[in-house]
Amino acid sequence: MTNEELKYSITELLPVATYDESGEFLNIIIPSDELIPLMKELRSKKEFDFDYLFCLTCIDWKDHLMMVYHLLSKVHKHCIVVKAKITDIQNPKIESVNCIWKTAELNEDEVYDLFGIRFLNHPNLRRLFLEEDWKGFPLRKNYVDENMIKL
Amino acid sequence: MLLGQDHITEEGEFVINMGPQHPATHGVLHLKIGLDGETIKKIEPHLGYIHRSIEKMCEQLSYRQFIFTTSRMDYLSAHINNQACVLAVEKALQVEATPRAKAIRVLMAELTRLASHQLWWACMGLDLGAVTPFFYAFREREAINTIIEETCGTRLTQNYMVPGGVMMDIHPNFQKRVKEVLKQIKEKAHEYDELLTGNVIFQQRLKGVGYLSKEDAVSYGCSGPTARASGVSCDVRKLFPYDGYEQLKFDEILNTEGDSWARYLVRLGEMKQSISIIEQLIDNIPEGDFQAKTKNVIKLPKGDFYQRVETARGELGVYIVSDGGATPYRCKFRSPNFSNLSAIPKMAEGAKIGDLVAIMATVDLVIPDIDR
Amino acid sequence: MDIKNNVPANKLIFPGQIHETPDGGFLITKLDEVINWARSNSLWPLIFGTSCCAIEMMSAADAKYDWSRFGFEVARASPRQADLIIVAGTIVMKMAPVLKRLYDQMPDPKYVIAMGACTISGGPFFYNTYSVVKGVDHIIPVDVYVPGCPPRPEALLHSMITLQEKIKNEAFFRKS
Ligand code: SF4
């Protein structure tokens, strides 16, 4: 499907979604609680068939956190980027997409480790890279570390 | 080993730790393995023993500098990692490398891939208890390293790519030497087959072991030879060509068996394809500049940019989020090894503990690329 | 240049004088020197590589550089059988206790080579990192430092020869 068609079908599914087409891919920005229903549709509907989650990450925009999911369909060869906005930065949480793409499990562990987002219904949420007792979440913009030597 | 938590789980599985110091994990990977007798029930990877905070560093480095942190990620495909970064920057700036630079990049990338697969082949033998392949493979790998050194100045972490092209022109000897090495590799190819491929013991340790189905490979986000051995067509050079790969003739090696033996064969096949790519290009490097003009201080426009390339281990993605400044606002590396690792518990389920080493050897993990 | 030329000539020969007699001979030497000669020529390194430098360490083992010329080829996977640890690659906070433990498990006398900029000071990961140990000498004592990112195999060989010289001048029995 082309970006236009994707946009059209997704608007039907989820009218609250907003779009950003400035980049290479079609970006869909949704509120974080709409994530799972949309993702399930994107995975299961034959015309979307996004079976390959090739990048899962997070961006800290200081006043909100943005989960970014890059999806590709191996069948139709189209790509899409789903961005879920998390406004509660004190206690961020979002549903896990592990039930849809298994690669999400370790990736979400990584995001939890570095950004501190709690994933609901995640089978084994743990700090993946840092020690269990590490203080703070290093990739947050407000992370301070006295031992870090600034350039 | 480290945690000393050898115990029995509730399900009656015996837990052992493999790594972080283990010769067959190719670095510092730590796997917790739940065993029933000798059969693997569950694997839990524990990472972070080489987590070097590269993504955080990149937020402070300029667009010319951050490229070079990536040669330390997957150091066996250092050129290709650099290539991904410069391509991402070029995409954002909407400049294009000169034709000569593109050809040099592809040549270097394929030489790196060859050298990387040779190292994999060497380690594959070592892991399964055969020491001789190590010396055979390193003979050719050293020859390639010498060529790369002559042009780039270093053997391993080359840092040769810059936005708009390559840092300097190729050495006058480059073409001659490459042809010599290709000749040598082709002449010696049969030795590889005689040593390992045709070895019955070796085959039996790989055949039918570590099966990964096509659906699982996609769902786990596998890429590179690991996924192609399960029949997933995922060669970025074919699907999303960059730097002139669309004009070259090569095959995407696919296999549908999905076991360790298939992964072994796919990698061997890829070496042949790399040789054929180099042969097509080596006499046809276009004349002209090796670098397009770019500004000294690079500032990317606002927005996010994603660029993927095919490293020796799979699809590497560079995701740059720019706020218009001179450094990335956020920089994420989608590493092929990370996803391939997440499929190892699936592959090893039900296998014997002794086969785990063989499975990991065929997936060819580079741990610093997983941890970043 | 062959790295072997770097070795001082008097270090290549066996320490001591042989006096030939018709039915054999005498050897006049110091026990210290013989023991050190034996120890320095049979250092068993531990296979310990965390990242990029480990690849150059592997290159040093291959046929082109061939560290077995100097008696290093018996690389061991277990620290209990090794007496030299070549720290090849970055050490991060999470790895530091493991490295310390490996070092503690090695039998005395033991030696450490810090290979690469990372192990000397943090190297490329000195600035703006939160998880890298800025030099392994914060964790274990280091005998020889090899700069480079990564050091060439020749540099590693040179460091090993330097270590051998250090061992040859040690007092094994006397407390100096
Ligand atoms: S010194 Fe350089 S090559 Fe060696 S481990 Fe550090 S980054 Fe890698």
Side-chain angles (χ1 to χ4, degrees):
Chain A
M1 268 200 257
T2 61
N3 282 357
E4 277 309 308
E5 288 163 350
L6 279 173
K7 196 169 156 184
Y8 182 74
S9 333
I10 291 170
T11 318
E12 270 185 358
L13 279 175
L14 191 69
V16 290
T18 51
Y19 300 91
D20 172 10
E21 283 174 277
S22 55
E24 181 187 7
F25 308 123
L26 172 69
N27 287 355
I28 312 165
I29 300 148
I30 54 166
S32 61
D33 41 351
E34 303 283 353
L35 181 75
I36 287 295
L38 175 69
M39 287 302 211
K40 281 203 166 127
E41 287 292 323
L42 288 180
R43 172 72 185 90
S44 54
K45 263 208 170 157
K46 272 280 156 295
E47 72 252 39
F48 296 134
D49 209 355
F50 285 106
D51 49 2
Y52 194 62
L53 173 69
F54 61 91
C55 183
L56 186 160
T57 187
C58 178
I59 308 168
D60 181 6
W61 286 109
K62 291 192 182 122
D63 55 343
H64 64 269
L65 291 162
M66 192 76 102
M67 283 297 299
V68 186
Y69 303 84
H70 283 73
L71 300 172
L72 168 80
S73 165
K74 286 270 176 210
V75 187
H76 305 297
K77 308 272 187 277
H78 52 215
C79 293
I80 201 172
V81 182
V82 178
K83 293 187 172 174
K85 191 170 173 179
I86 305 174
T87 40
D88 180 8
I89 53 166
Q90 290 309 322
N91 190 13
K93 48 182 182 294
I94 193 168
E95 283 286 331
S96 162
V97 294
N98 173 56
C99 51
I100 310 171
W101 297 278
K102 290 183 201 143
T103 178
E105 181 179 340
L106 278 188
N107 276 298
E108 285 176 346
D109 279 344
E110 180 192 329
V111 171
Y112 168 66
D113 192 355
L114 303 178
F115 286 91
I117 296 179
R118 291 221 338 279
F119 289 90
L120 309 174
N121 298 327
H122 186 283
N124 183 9
L125 198 62
R126 62 198 161 107
R127 295 206 85 139
L128 192 63
F129 292 148
L130 301 170
E131 291 98 326
E132 284 297 329
D133 53 358
W134 192 278
K135 290 220 170 46
F137 303 104
L139 283 187
R140 289 275 195 97
K141 292 286 171 186
N142 58 5
Y143 177 75
V144 274
D145 183 348
E146 298 94 57
N147 298 330
M148 190 191 280
I149 301 162
K150 284 261 189 270
L151 185 62
Chain B
M1 183 186 195
L2 161 71
L3 302 172
Q5 285 176 355
D6 294 1
H7 59 238
I8 314 278
T9 62
E10 283 155 20
E11 294 94 44
E13 292 159 1
F14 184 65
V15 178
I16 63 163
N17 290 293
M18 182 173 178
Q21 159 65 11
H22 189 284
T25 55
H26 295 200
V28 282
L29 177 65
H30 176 194
L31 298 176
K32 272 196 171 174
I33 308 165
L35 288 177
D36 175 14
E38 260 196 81
T39 314
I40 297 171
K41 289 280 171 209
K42 209 159 92 206
I43 296 184
E44 198 181 85
H46 286 246
L47 308 172
Y49 293 94
I50 186 71
H51 175 61
R52 300 186 278 193
S53 30
I54 287 183
E55 286 176 11
K56 183 86 177 172
M57 267 173 81
C58 287
E59 290 175 10
Q60 317 290 335
L61 295 176
S62 78
Y63 287 110
R64 282 190 186 279
Q65 294 169 327
F66 92 107
I67 298 163
F68 305 134
T69 59
T70 56
S71 15
R72 275 91 190 160
M73 259 163 40
D74 181 353
Y75 38 78
L76 293 176
S77 333
H79 266 309
I80 314 178
N81 288 3
N82 292 169
Q83 198 179 7
C85 295
V86 293
L87 282 169
V89 173
E90 281 168 11
K91 185 185 265 178
L93 289 177
Q94 293 177 337
V95 293
E96 218 182 318
T98 58
R100 185 175 177 83
K102 280 185 180 174
I104 297 176
R105 278 183 189 175
V106 171
L107 275 171
M108 284 297 179
E110 292 309 319
L111 282 175
T112 317
R113 197 184 313 278
L114 257 181
S116 164
H117 282 336
Q118 262 149 2
L119 189 117
W120 155 78
W121 191 79
C123 292
M124 175 103 213
L126 278 183
D127 286 350
L128 295 182
V131 184
T132 323
F134 175 79
F135 296 102
Y136 280 68
F138 264 72
R139 181 185 55 200
E140 271 90 54
R141 188 183 148 80
E142 283 299 332
I144 295 178
N145 271 354
T146 314
I147 296 176
I148 290 180
E149 184 188 6
E150 214 170 41
T151 291
C152 316
T154 42
R155 290 157 43 89
L156 193 67
T157 49
Q158 289 97 358
N159 308 345
Y160 183 53
M161 314 271 175
V162 289
V166 291
M167 202 174 267
M168 54 216 142
D169 212 347
I170 46 173
H171 193 272
N173 281 344
F174 182 76
Q175 279 150 306
K176 191 176 105 227
R177 299 256 173 137
V178 170
K179 279 182 216 157
E180 279 167 17
V181 166
L182 289 193
K183 188 156 155 272
Q184 180 188 349
I185 294 176
K186 278 186 178 162
E187 272 171 13
K188 308 276 164 122
H190 69 98
E191 291 183 353
Y192 284 44
D193 292 343
E194 282 160 20
L195 260 177
L196 280 189
T197 321
N199 185 323
V200 183
I201 302 171
F202 181 76
Q203 288 186 7
Q204 286 182 347
R205 286 210 57 185
L206 297 186
K207 278 188 184 159
V209 171
Y211 175 72
L212 184 71
S213 70
K214 188 173 177 180
E215 290 71 39
D216 281 332
V218 172
S219 179
Y220 278 106
C222 294
S223 55
T226 312
R228 286 200 280 281
S230 300
V232 184
S233 150
C234 60
D235 195 328
V236 182
R237 294 172 294 172
K238 284 266 183 217
L239 297 179
F240 308 95
Y242 53 91
D243 270 350
Y245 271 112
E246 62 275 13
Q247 290 148 12
L248 297 166
K249 277 200 211 66
F250 63 98
D251 298 328
E252 178 174 7
I253 310 284
L254 282 176
N255 199 320
T256 45
E257 297 291 313
D259 59 354
S260 293
W261 180 244
R263 287 190 282 278
Y264 176 82
L265 290 182
V266 167
R267 282 214 167 77
L268 277 193
E270 280 202 354
M271 282 161 76
K272 299 215 174 75
Q273 294 305 318
S274 289
I275 293 176
S276 115
I277 292 177
I278 297 173
E279 275 176 343
Q280 289 170 45
L281 265 179
I282 190 69
D283 281 325
N284 303 319
I285 306 178
E287 292 297 322
D289 282 342
F290 55 87
Q291 219 184 79
K293 281 243 159 9
T294 44
K295 286 215 187 77
N296 256 346
V297 178
I298 298 179
K299 282 194 178 158
L300 297 199
K302 240 183 169 148
D304 18 349
F305 309 97
Y306 190 89
Q307 174 66 43
R308 48 190 142 195
V309 297
E310 180 80 13
T311 74
R313 277 155 204 80
E315 171 184 335
L316 172 81
V318 177
Y319 180 54
I320 302 176
V321 180
S322 162
D323 60 350
T327 59
Y329 185 79
R330 165 102 175 90
C331 192
K332 152 93 184 168
F333 299 106
R334 181 257 187 234
S335 104
N337 292 294
F338 191 81
S339 311
N340 290 352
L341 168 81
S342 67
I344 283 193
K346 184 78 197 168
M347 289 179 208
E349 218 177 73
K352 296 275 182 279
I353 176 100
D355 289 333
L356 181 59
V357 170
I359 294 170
M360 293 214 314
T362 49
V363 176
D364 190 17
L365 297 173
V366 169
I367 314 301
D369 189 34
I370 297 174
D371 284 0
R372 281 157 283 144
Chain C
M1 187 190 70
D2 193 348
I3 197 91
K4 244 185 162 158
N5 302 339
N6 275 357
V7 188
N10 62 340
K11 299 288 180 199
L12 285 174
I13 49 167
F14 185 77
Q17 296 166 349
I18 297 169
H19 291 270
E20 303 244 355
T21 54
D23 51 348
F26 291 106
L27 170 69
I28 303 175
T29 181
K30 291 186 197 141
L31 197 52
D32 250 0
E33 279 183 8
V34 179
I35 289 179
N36 285 345
W37 170 82
R39 280 196 310 133
S40 66
N41 286 312
S42 62
L43 283 170
W44 288 13
L46 173 73
I47 303 177
F48 179 80
T50 58
S51 53
C52 353
C53 278
I55 304 297
E56 288 300 73
M57 187 169 84
M58 282 167 77
S59 298
D62 73 5
K64 184 170 174 190
Y65 297 103
D66 193 12
W67 66 12
S68 48
R69 288 181 293 166
F70 308 103
F72 286 101
E73 78 276 27
V74 198
R76 294 280 114 178
S78 161
R80 294 182 198 279
Q81 299 161 351
D83 43 18
L84 163 67
I85 177 165
I86 302 172
V87 187
T90 326
I91 299 297
V92 301
M93 307 282 194
K94 197 170 177 180
M95 193 62 196
V98 186
L99 176 63
K100 178 75 174 58
R101 189 155 173 172
L102 285 171
Y103 181 75
D104 289 345
Q105 284 179 344
M106 281 163 51
D108 272 322
K110 50 196 170 188
Y111 302 94
V112 179
I113 291 180
M115 180 183 184
C118 282
T119 51
I120 296 175
S121 67
F125 306 101
F126 185 73
Y127 291 114
N128 301 320
T129 54
Y130 50 84
S131 60
V132 174
V133 176
K134 314 278 178 347
V136 282
D137 39 13
H138 292 297
I139 309 162
I140 54 176
V142 177
D143 292 283
V144 186
Y145 296 88
V146 200
C149 180
R152 296 180 58 88
E154 288 98 327
L156 181 64
L157 289 179
H158 186 244
S159 77
M160 292 169 145
I161 293 170
T162 314
L163 182 65
Q164 287 185 335
E165 272 179 42
K166 177 175 172 168
I167 295 173
K168 278 178 185 151
N169 293 324
E170 263 178 2
F172 194 68
F173 288 119
R174 284 172 284 124
K175 290 271 176 301
S176 54

